[in-house]
Amino acid sequence: MSLNLSSNGPAFTACETRQGVPLGYVSEKLAHAIIDTHAAGVAHPEARKRLAHVMYSQTKAFLALHNVLAVADAPGLPEQLLGMERHELHSWIAAVVTHGDLLGAGEG
């Protein structure tokens, strides 16, 4: 699966100052939720259609957090993620974390 890590676009960017839970912690929890949803899809393939809606919401939040929101609109992304092997999903998550921009420091 190709990982098109384009930016969020100007409509979804804003400079913000925040104080609170570290964004890395939020990213980690979203990644675990994505992995757990994938595991539920493996254990219950008959529920994958319903789980695709959950996967879409989780991945959209995860990708937005890493400033690669445009990836969320890739056709069939939730279904592709649910259909991946476990190690492929972990690699996809790692690619988002590695190539994304959690703190928005790359935004001008």
Side-chain angles (χ1 to χ4, degrees):
M1 169 192 228
S2 170
L3 184 62
N4 175 16
L5 292 172
S6 58
S7 68
N8 293 329
F12 295 108
T13 59
C15 288
E16 294 182 344
T17 303
R18 67 178 304 278
Q19 194 171 27
V21 176
L23 296 179
Y25 176 82
V26 177
S27 172
E28 179 185 326
K29 295 308 168 194
L30 281 169
H32 286 299
I34 290 167
I35 291 165
D36 289 346
T37 301
H38 177 268
V42 170
H44 305 284
E46 72 283 356
R48 279 193 183 178
K49 186 171 181 157
R50 287 182 300 176
L51 289 171
H53 296 290
V54 175
M55 184 65 86
Y56 176 77
S57 297
Q58 291 171 340
T59 56
K60 189 154 193 158
F62 182 68
L63 293 167
L65 185 63
H66 286 277
N67 290 298
V68 287
L69 187 57
V71 176
D73 291 327
L77 179 63
E79 293 82 6
Q80 288 177 346
L81 294 174
L82 285 167
M84 287 181 172
E85 295 292 328
R86 185 172 180 261
H87 71 278
E88 292 174 314
L89 181 67
H90 283 268
S91 294
W92 183 86
I93 290 169
V96 170
V97 170
T98 300
H99 299 292
D101 186 8
L102 185 66
L103 300 177
E107 294 293 324

